[in-house]
Amino acid sequence: ALWLLGIALAYPYLPGSDSDAFKGVSVFVGLVLSLGSSGIVNQMMSGLTITYSRAVRHGDFVKIRNVEGTITHLGPLSTKVKTPRGEEVTIPNAVVMSDVTTNYTRFADTDGVYVPTSVTIGYDTPWRQVHALLLLAAERTSGVRSKPKPVVRQTALQDFYVQYTLLVSLEHPHTRALVLDALHANILDAFNEFGVLITSHVGPLALVNWPASS
């Protein structure tokens, strides 16, 4: 802003500023600067919108597009996110504004934010037993909140199995990957203890014994 003000004040005193050639060059330079700075202005306006709308804040654990991590910096042009693998990802503010942003931290301390994980179990296993085993695994997992309580839902009835989804609320959202790893291990242990097989979908064509061609 200071440079632009200085140029505007000094312009009338430049030699040849009244000539048509000088004016033409000035218009051309101004046009080039306007076109070149449109992206920067877009990023800055997006940064102001992010800051004052409080969509995300420093320290929030978020998912922006396919990047999941903790916000370490909110700048005028870009937002920096540190992933659970220790990577620093720089995301332009215009991308943050134009894409869907999931904030796992905003209600974590009050209502709780549920994290889903699913298993598929055959129809021969009673659904009440599956519910009990999933809740037992959640109870054994450190980092899972007792309130709100973990819940289990039957989210799909497929041809050969039932899909069960366990929803748990985490004490610290930024430990999402570690807690899910421990939760999956406890699910495997619980189902193995009681002899329940975790299945996967097998297409009907794979189950048919086609006759040999004559």
Side-chain angles (χ1 to χ4, degrees):
L2 290 175
W3 276 104
L4 291 176
L5 179 61
I7 293 174
L9 294 176
Y11 180 81
Y13 302 100
L14 295 176
S17 60
D18 294 333
S19 65
D20 293 337
F22 194 93
K23 293 178 181 179
V25 171
S26 301
V27 172
F28 176 74
V29 172
L31 180 62
V32 170
L33 291 176
S34 298
L35 294 176
S37 63
S38 60
I40 297 177
V41 173
N42 184 24
Q43 303 295 346
M44 294 182 66
M45 294 303 298
S46 299
L48 289 175
T49 304
I50 294 171
T51 300
Y52 290 102
S53 67
R54 298 182 180 179
V56 294
R57 294 172 295 185
H58 184 275
D60 284 355
F61 189 78
V62 300
K63 182 178 182 180
I64 303 173
R65 191 168 286 186
N66 59 344
V67 178
E68 189 174 274
T70 303
I71 292 181
T72 59
H73 177 70
L74 286 172
L77 301 179
S78 64
T79 298
K80 295 184 183 298
V81 176
K82 183 179 180 181
T83 68
R85 296 181 297 274
E87 306 162 334
E88 183 180 76
V89 181
T90 301
I91 305 174
N93 285 333
V95 174
V96 178
M97 288 300 303
S98 63
D99 214 319
V100 176
T101 299
T102 305
N103 193 326
Y104 298 108
T105 304
R106 184 58 52 87
F107 301 110
D109 295 332
T110 54
D111 301 333
V113 178
Y114 280 109
V115 177
T117 187
S118 299
V119 295
T120 55
I121 309 296
Y123 282 98
D124 55 340
T125 303
W127 65 267
R128 291 180 178 84
Q129 182 182 11
V130 177
H131 280 222
L133 292 177
L134 289 174
L135 294 176
L136 175 63
E139 184 180 349
R140 292 177 176 178
T141 305
S142 177
V144 173
R145 293 175 57 176
S146 57
K147 293 184 179 180
K149 295 181 179 180
V151 295
V152 181
R153 300 283 186 264
Q154 285 90 244
T155 51
L157 299 176
Q158 302 295 341
D159 293 338
F160 306 102
Y161 61 84
V162 182
Q163 178 175 312
Y164 299 88
T165 299
L166 172 65
L167 300 170
V168 297
S169 182
L170 307 184
E171 294 177 355
H172 305 288
H174 64 275
T175 62
R176 176 188 178 94
L178 295 175
V179 175
L180 281 178
D181 176 68
L183 177 61
H184 292 159
N186 288 327
I187 290 175
L188 293 174
D189 289 341
F191 278 74
N192 287 333
E193 287 177 18
F194 290 88
V196 177
L197 177 64
I198 299 177
T199 62
S200 60
H201 177 58
V202 180
L205 293 180
L207 298 178
V208 176
N209 293 323
W210 295 101
S213 58
S214 57

